Amino acid sequence: MESGAAAAGPGGRRFPFPYTPYLIQERFMAALYGALEAGRVGIFESPTGTGKSLSLICGALSWLRDFEEKKQQEEARLLAPEDSGQEGKEKRLASAGPGHPESKGTAGEPDWVTAFVQKKEERDMVERLKEEQIKRKKREDRLEKIRHNVQLKYAAKRKRSEEDETKRLLQLSKEVLSEGAGVDVLEQLDHNEEELILGEYESDEEKKVVSGLEEDDDDLEEEHVTKIYYCSRTHSQLSQFVREVQKSPFGKDTRLVSLGSRQNLCVNEEVRRLGALQLINDRCMEMQKNKHEKKGDEELEGKKRRVSRTVCPFYSYEQMQFLRDEVLVEVKDIEQLVALGRETKACPYYGSRYAIPAAQLVVLPYQMLLHEPTRNAAGVKLKDQVVIIDEAHNLIDTITCIHSAEVSGSQLCCAHSQLLQYMERYRKRLKAKNLMYIKQILYLLERFVAMLGGNVNQNPSCQAVSQPGTVLKSINDFLFQSQIDNINLFKVQRYCEKSLISRKLFGFVERYGGLATAVKTNKENQKLAGLQNFLLTLQQGSDKDGTPQSPPVEAENDQLRTASPLMQIEGFLSALTNANQDGRVILNRQGTVGQSSLKFLLLNPAVHFAKVVEECRAVIIAGGTMQPVADFREQLLSCAGVDPARVVEFSCGHVIPPDNILPIILCSGPSNQQLEFTYQTRDLPQMMDETGRILCNVCNVVPGGVVCFFPSYEYEKQVYAHWEKTGLLTRLATKKKIFQEPKKANQVEQVLVEYAKCIKRCGQAGGQMTGALLLSVVGGKMSEGINFSDDLGRCVIMVGMPYPNIKSPELQEKMTWLDKTMPRAAGQAPSRVLIENLCMKAVNQSIGRAIRHQKDFASILLLDHRYARPATFNKLPQWIRERTQVKPAFGAAFAELRKVRTFILCTATKTVSYCTHLYFSQTVSLE
């Protein structure tokens, strides 16, 4: 193992590292190693710019290396040669077993019985260890062969080319033979339509098919080796982490596999073109099912003509085995994995999953780890493994969002109309059990629409809601009042999953929805005409002459094609299977039935996190800004049943010198107006004027970029309009060019590029204009995931305290639930603590945008005297809190800002600013 340096942590343990680490990195790795060794649940905080990713990699993989060495030594000791003597063998067996064979058992059995049982257990264990050794040796030999035998790779590639050529020639031959055969078009259409018909649903208790494996393979049956599951929020963050592993001392000898969704990993262009994740998932599963049914179809060929079902050409077991081994030989990120899949003509999605058992480090997105059905489907086994959750500051919100669901009245009515027509079309071809479940789903949809005050037989856009408003209900109350408590939702959910009904329904709508006429019906079924017309209005516009669709209808049609409404509804049905006390159903009745919605709100995210912490050996929750940590301890860990003694916290400072950051809590403005931006006072003209005066003074002395965060888009817009009216905006524009954060995500990058260019231009040209001012919003696209390093953010200003909207029904229900289930903390109600914590989490994420590396420097202004309250002050990150100054008057604060200006100008004469280069060279995250 190569390394640029070896960090010696506390206790003398050395960690391989690519360069000489900071002291805080050594401490971080030592604390991480200790938490993994002791099987703890750790909350680790390391500010951005301190090398957190490398510390996680080197600390965790050092522990894994040592753990594997100890395990192999123990195995070698137990499998020592027999000729070492009977006495030594007995000592080994006794030390490995639960007790000495000559002592009496706990139940008082005779010594010979206890000895026999222990010896049998030891023999079984030795046999198991021998089998594992053989499998491990076989795998290592295979991977070593692939690693060094380049000819093997070329041989496999040549074989694939030959197979492709054979298939191509075979297809050409079939086309020549079938030319002029004169197949009846109507008959061909009928055969194609076979794919839309639901297959026979065998049993509600039917076992899950294990990822479609047909052939037996010893290597796939091996137990999962001890491994580390690393998950983060976005695809770009995971790719960046893999690149850090590649550069680390562990990059050459770590078996790493990157997992992702089918949307990211699919290499079948026909499937990728579907666009929506759910459609891609369903189509992929359907193709697998077709592959497994192929043999049965061939057997029935003589009895009955069957339709040719599409199978995925990349779902080749042999090629996926080859891809699996290639993945384990060399560390690859998602992009490299997809490129390998295209080259080998193997599915990266399944090939990577087959590599999980032998992998030492598995990199995967949040959803795949935190959502149990997805976790199980991917083959992720957490028992006695290590989980590291990075960028975890929003972990509670993420779990809540993953397990919440919302459906609109339009989606419910549309799904009902589609499913009813589907049933009428294929009634004679569907088995009894399929018809039973379809009728149950239709009844559920009918009752859901009724709960919104509507009727499924009428267009939802034309049905006005009689009693608009928002109502919250417990799950049980919702089930009773909607009269569906007699339906087993678990069975319905399983049927939807196994039958792929949403995929079949989407294919049905795709085939008939775009035609000029609806599905033909018999005279006795003319009552369906209204429903069919409604479906057509959703899909092709209401023009009866068949004229081209107008752009708005086209947009709606595209939206319908990207996701079937039944797919959304399946998620809502799944959410209703949560325990009654853990969630609420929100009935939001607005305007029309189509605009109204049903939403499931998860109140207790701990129920879905409990299994993770129960099964894992250790869990590490890490992030750049984890304060305040009370939410993690109380809402997540305590509610999940984690023993407080098992929880360990670690927080380190920043690598920047103390003089490089100036955080100030400003209590009053230039005209001695007290700064308190409550809902009652922030709209006052004098408060908006005072904010403008502060910004004018700051922009006069701070060169480069100034980023100012407002509590909401509405307030930012209101302040901007006021400044425009009073002329203050013109004064600001003489010093800084003003940019505003756009609401649309696709416009953010362009604004950032222009902002960076302006700062660079002003820095080079000199003159009166000294840079740019960016007006941003807390919780917006620029408050998280984007770096304002160097000249891009020499001063970050936070206007007021961004408390959430406590009038929100969802938040009110969460507050009520917390007050009922959680104890009071330091005399404060849990609901009050929640509001304070949500506010400070948002603040900490925003102000952390400025300092991004060791040589960076910036000032931070918190404009509200309430930040100085001890309870609030203590929720700032430690590295900011210990350097923060509280300034009652503006004059003293302005004097400190002048010192920063002097510091910046002095630094500028010694070094050339490279902020814009850094900005354009980094990957900007816009999630």
Side-chain angles (χ1 to χ4, degrees):
M1 185 178 295
E2 298 174 1
S3 62
R13 185 173 288 109
R14 300 187 71 79
F15 297 96
F17 214 73
Y19 53 81
T20 303
Y22 303 126
L23 178 61
I24 60 171
Q25 288 178 310
E26 293 176 359
R27 289 175 178 163
F28 185 101
M29 289 186 287
L32 177 63
Y33 191 106
L36 298 181
E37 185 69 16
R40 300 294 189 89
V41 176
I43 302 173
F44 279 64
E45 181 180 53
S46 181
T48 305
T50 57
K52 171 170 58 73
S53 294
L54 262 180
S55 300
L56 283 170
I57 291 165
C58 296
L61 291 179
S62 291
W63 172 83
L64 185 61
R65 175 200 60 190
D66 293 350
F67 178 83
E68 288 177 344
E69 285 178 4
K70 287 177 192 173
K71 188 178 178 183
Q72 288 177 15
Q73 288 169 5
E74 181 66 15
E75 287 178 6
R77 190 179 66 79
L78 289 170
L79 297 173
E82 298 290 331
D83 60 2
S84 59
Q86 185 64 24
E87 186 181 343
K89 183 180 177 184
E90 286 180 0
K91 283 182 180 177
R92 287 195 306 275
L93 294 175
S95 64
H100 198 275
E102 292 184 30
S103 62
K104 283 209 171 188
T106 54
E109 298 94 340
D111 291 347
W112 66 270
V113 174
T114 308
F116 176 80
V117 171
Q118 286 184 341
K119 285 180 180 177
K120 185 177 183 306
E121 287 176 352
E122 294 298 339
R123 282 196 300 272
D124 292 344
M125 182 172 66
V126 168
E127 287 302 315
R128 182 171 54 80
L129 291 175
K130 284 180 179 177
E131 287 177 11
E132 285 182 6
Q133 267 196 344
I134 292 169
K135 287 180 181 178
R136 186 166 62 240
K137 184 72 166 61
K138 182 180 175 183
R139 181 186 68 232
E140 288 171 356
D141 289 347
R142 186 180 71 245
L143 296 182
E144 194 66 22
K145 193 174 179 182
I146 292 172
R147 189 177 285 113
H148 296 294
N149 192 348
V150 180
Q151 290 181 348
L152 191 67
K153 292 185 182 180
Y154 286 127
K157 193 172 182 180
R158 187 171 62 251
K159 185 182 176 185
R160 288 193 300 274
S161 299
E162 290 171 359
E163 288 174 353
D164 290 345
E165 183 63 17
T166 304
K167 286 179 184 176
R168 192 180 68 82
L169 291 172
L170 189 63
Q171 184 63 32
L172 283 173
S173 302
K174 286 180 179 177
E175 288 173 5
V176 169
L177 288 172
S178 63
E179 205 169 298
V183 180
D184 190 350
V185 177
L186 291 175
E187 185 185 357
Q188 187 65 37
L189 277 174
D190 185 60
H191 280 292
N192 287 340
E193 201 171 347
E194 289 269 353
E195 288 195 13
L196 301 178
I197 300 172
L198 289 162
E200 185 171 358
Y201 187 64
E202 295 295 336
S203 168
D204 296 330
E205 312 305 326
E206 184 182 29
K207 289 182 180 179
K208 286 190 175 182
V209 178
V210 183
S211 55
L213 289 179
E214 290 175 332
E215 296 83 351
D216 293 326
D217 186 75
D218 290 338
D219 299 314
L220 293 179
E221 296 299 322
E222 68 180 338
E223 291 185 19
H224 285 227
V225 302
T226 302
K227 58 175 58 61
I228 296 165
Y229 288 100
Y230 171 91
C231 65
S232 192
R233 193 167 52 93
T234 65
H235 170 71
S236 59
Q237 287 167 343
L238 292 172
S239 294
Q240 186 179 349
F241 178 83
V242 173
R243 288 192 290 272
E244 291 287 338
V245 174
Q246 290 170 331
K247 292 186 290 185
S248 79
F250 297 89
K252 297 204 182 295
D253 57 359
T254 297
R255 298 191 300 276
L256 179 148
V257 57
S258 295
L259 301 182
S261 65
R262 287 181 176 89
Q263 201 169 30
N264 286 327
L265 289 175
C266 180
V267 290
N268 186 328
E269 290 304 323
E270 177 198 335
V271 178
R272 285 176 65 88
R273 278 197 293 270
L274 293 171
L277 176 61
Q278 188 63 49
L279 296 180
I280 291 173
N281 286 344
D282 284 353
R283 183 59 177 156
C284 175
M285 286 156 62
E286 188 178 39
M287 283 178 154
Q288 280 184 64
K289 197 174 179 183
N290 293 343
K291 184 181 176 78
H292 303 316
E293 289 175 353
K294 197 174 179 183
K295 289 182 181 177
D297 289 353
E298 287 169 359
E299 291 170 6
L300 292 168
E301 192 174 353
K303 301 176 185 177
K304 180 181 177 182
R305 186 177 177 183
R306 303 279 297 192
V307 64
S308 175
R309 296 179 182 271
T310 309
V311 297
C312 182
F314 296 92
Y315 193 74
S316 160
Y317 182 75
E318 184 183 350
Q319 294 310 124
M320 288 190 294
Q321 271 190 309
F322 181 81
L323 183 137
R324 172 199 65 186
D325 293 341
E326 282 286 324
V327 166
L328 294 173
V329 163
E330 186 181 13
V331 173
K332 293 177 175 63
D333 63 19
I334 292 285
E335 287 77 15
Q336 292 167 325
L337 186 58
V338 169
L340 180 65
R342 288 199 176 101
E343 182 190 336
T344 58
K345 298 201 181 314
C347 175
Y349 178 75
Y350 284 105
S352 60
R353 283 166 61 174
Y354 296 161
I356 293 174
Q360 296 167 306
L361 180 58
V362 179
V363 178
L364 69 169
Y366 271 4
Q367 289 81 352
M368 198 170 283
L369 183 105
L370 298 172
H371 188 245
E372 189 177 0
T374 308
R375 188 166 71 231
N376 294 337
V380 172
K381 296 181 180 178
L382 299 181
K383 185 67 176 172
D384 298 327
Q385 308 293 12
V386 170
V387 163
I388 297 176
I389 303 173
D390 201 3
E391 301 298 331
H393 56 272
N394 60 350
L395 179 60
I396 295 174
D397 292 339
T398 300
I399 297 172
T400 302
C401 288
I402 289 173
H403 296 92
S404 296
E406 185 172 14
V407 290
S408 69
S410 287
Q411 288 174 320
L412 292 167
C413 290
C414 182
H416 186 277
S417 173
Q418 292 175 3
L419 193 57
L420 189 62
Q421 291 175 80
Y422 177 89
M423 186 180 72
E424 291 300 326
R425 172 76 174 175
Y426 304 118
R427 181 184 288 274
K428 293 179 181 178
R429 300 291 306 275
L430 295 171
K431 301 290 183 182
K433 191 162 280 190
N434 279 318
L435 283 171
M436 180 193 77
Y437 277 111
I438 289 175
K439 287 178 179 178
Q440 281 191 347
I441 295 169
L442 286 169
Y443 178 72
L444 289 171
L445 296 173
E446 183 183 326
R447 297 311 306 160
F448 289 160
V449 173
M451 288 296 286
L452 292 175
N455 187 326
V456 288
N457 296 318
Q458 298 174 23
N459 191 321
S461 301
C462 301
Q463 297 182 66
V465 173
S466 57
Q467 295 178 327
T470 301
V471 180
L472 283 94
K473 297 183 182 295
S474 68
I475 298 173
N476 286 349
D477 285 346
F478 177 77
L479 297 179
F480 282 122
Q481 290 178 27
S482 56
Q483 300 172 17
I484 59 171
D485 53 297
N486 59 330
I487 293 179
N488 188 327
L489 293 179
F490 289 95
K491 286 189 174 184
V492 175
Q493 179 192 355
R494 184 168 180 76
Y495 172 77
C496 292
E497 176 190 333
K498 288 293 177 185
S499 67
L500 299 178
I501 186 170
S502 58
R503 168 67 205 173
K504 303 285 187 182
L505 189 62
F506 179 79
F508 171 74
V509 174
E510 199 174 35
R511 180 179 295 273
Y512 292 111
L515 299 179
T517 57
V519 181
K520 291 181 180 179
T521 56
N522 297 327
K523 288 183 179 179
E524 61 268 22
N525 291 328
Q526 287 301 312
K527 60 184 179 180
L528 294 178
L531 297 176
Q532 292 161 355
N533 289 335
F534 159 62
L535 175 59
L536 292 178
T537 60
L538 284 177
Q539 290 197 297
Q540 66 178 43
S542 56
D543 195 332
K544 295 178 182 177
D545 297 326
T547 53
Q549 296 171 337
S550 61
V553 177
E554 281 182 358
E556 191 172 357
N557 186 37
D558 289 341
Q559 187 179 359
L560 186 66
R561 286 176 57 84
T562 55
S564 166
L566 190 58
M567 295 174 187
Q568 289 281 104
I569 293 159
E570 284 178 19
F572 182 71
L573 290 174
S574 176
L576 290 178
T577 61
N578 278 275
N580 182 58
Q581 68 272 17
D582 293 329
R584 297 289 182 271
V585 179
I586 303 171
L587 286 73
N588 185 24
R589 301 187 182 105
Q590 300 292 335
T592 65
V593 171
Q595 294 169 330
S596 303
S597 65
L598 297 174
K599 180 178 181 180
F600 174 81
L601 173 68
L602 180 70
L603 294 176
N604 184 13
V607 294
H608 296 286
F609 194 63
K611 198 160 187 179
V612 175
V613 291
E614 283 170 14
E615 291 190 345
C616 291
R617 172 196 175 93
V619 177
I620 304 298
I621 303 169
T625 307
M626 299 297 289
Q627 290 293 338
V629 297
D631 286 352
F632 295 104
R633 275 187 170 276
E634 292 158 18
Q635 287 187 49
L636 206 57
L637 302 180
S638 178
C639 288
V642 179
D643 184 351
R646 192 185 171 197
V647 182
V648 60
E649 289 181 31
F650 176 86
S651 180
C652 63
H654 212 294
V655 293
I656 58 168
D659 292 340
N660 282 34
I661 183 171
L662 176 64
I664 295 175
I665 296 173
L666 190 58
C667 300
S668 60
S671 64
N672 292 324
Q673 171 74 48
Q674 186 185 48
L675 300 177
E676 184 174 357
F677 292 86
T678 63
Y679 286 114
Q680 293 76 28
T681 61
R682 69 182 191 179
D683 295 339
L684 296 174
Q686 57 264 37
M687 288 299 294
M688 292 188 279
D689 289 339
E690 196 75 342
T691 306
R693 284 190 283 267
I694 292 169
L695 255 66
C696 281
N697 280 284
V698 169
C699 291
N700 280 336
V701 297
V702 176
V706 174
V707 184
C708 181
F709 286 101
F710 289 88
S712 67
Y713 283 104
E714 291 71 24
Y715 187 59
E716 185 266 335
K717 187 178 178 182
Q718 182 183 351
V719 172
Y720 188 90
H722 180 77
W723 288 349
E724 204 169 29
K725 183 180 174 182
T726 60
L728 202 142
L729 206 62
T730 308
R731 285 170 54 197
L732 277 171
T734 59
K735 283 291 183 181
K736 306 281 185 187
K737 184 172 180 180
I738 300 170
F739 294 86
Q740 288 178 278
E741 176 179 335
K743 272 193 173 183
K744 294 182 179 177
N746 60 357
Q747 298 173 354
V748 171
E749 189 169 3
Q750 183 59 35
V751 171
L752 287 171
V753 168
E754 293 300 322
Y755 174 73
K757 282 181 179 177
C758 178
I759 292 169
K760 182 182 179 182
R761 193 166 55 247
C762 293
Q764 291 173 344
Q768 189 178 8
M769 186 80 74
T770 61
L773 169 64
L774 180 60
L775 304 180
S776 301
V777 176
V778 175
K781 295 294 180 184
M782 296 181 183
S783 65
E784 194 174 325
I786 292 177
N787 299 342
F788 293 110
S789 60
D790 301 290
D791 282 350
L792 293 178
R794 288 304 180 200
C795 182
V796 173
I797 300 172
M798 177 64 61
V799 178
M801 298 186 72
Y803 284 110
N805 179 14
I806 58 172
K807 293 182 180 179
S808 159
E810 291 96 330
L811 185 56
Q812 285 184 343
E813 191 64 25
K814 178 80 172 182
M815 291 164 67
T816 304
W817 180 83
L818 284 173
D819 286 339
K820 286 180 180 177
T821 57
M822 304 290 293
R824 293 176 72 88
Q828 275 193 312
S831 57
R832 182 63 203 170
V833 174
L834 170 71
I835 297 298
E836 194 82 22
N837 288 347
L838 288 173
C839 169
M840 291 310 295
K841 275 183 185 294
V843 169
N844 292 341
Q845 280 301 308
S846 299
I847 63 178
R849 301 295 94 205
I851 302 292
R852 311 308 286 179
H853 59 85
Q854 187 186 17
K855 295 181 180 179
D856 208 352
F857 47 87
S859 54
I860 297 170
L861 281 181
L862 303 175
L863 307 186
D864 201 305
H865 75 94
R866 292 174 293 173
Y867 282 110
R869 296 181 304 197
T872 306
F873 183 81
N874 289 331
K875 288 174 181 175
L876 289 168
Q878 181 185 343
W879 65 278
I880 292 179
R881 185 173 67 239
E882 60 193 14
R883 304 171 193 187
T884 299
Q885 302 176 29
V886 179
K887 299 293 182 183
F890 180 76
F894 191 65
E896 293 294 331
L897 287 172
R898 282 185 174 278
K899 291 179 185 176
V900 174
R901 172 185 170 83
T902 306
F903 177 78
I904 292 173
L905 294 176
C906 289
T907 307
T909 59
K910 296 175 184 176
T911 59
V912 178
S913 175
Y914 55 97
C915 68
T916 309
H917 167 72
L918 284 177
Y919 172 75
F920 286 114
S921 64
Q922 70 186 355
T923 302
V924 180
S925 173
L926 300 178
E927 288 84 13

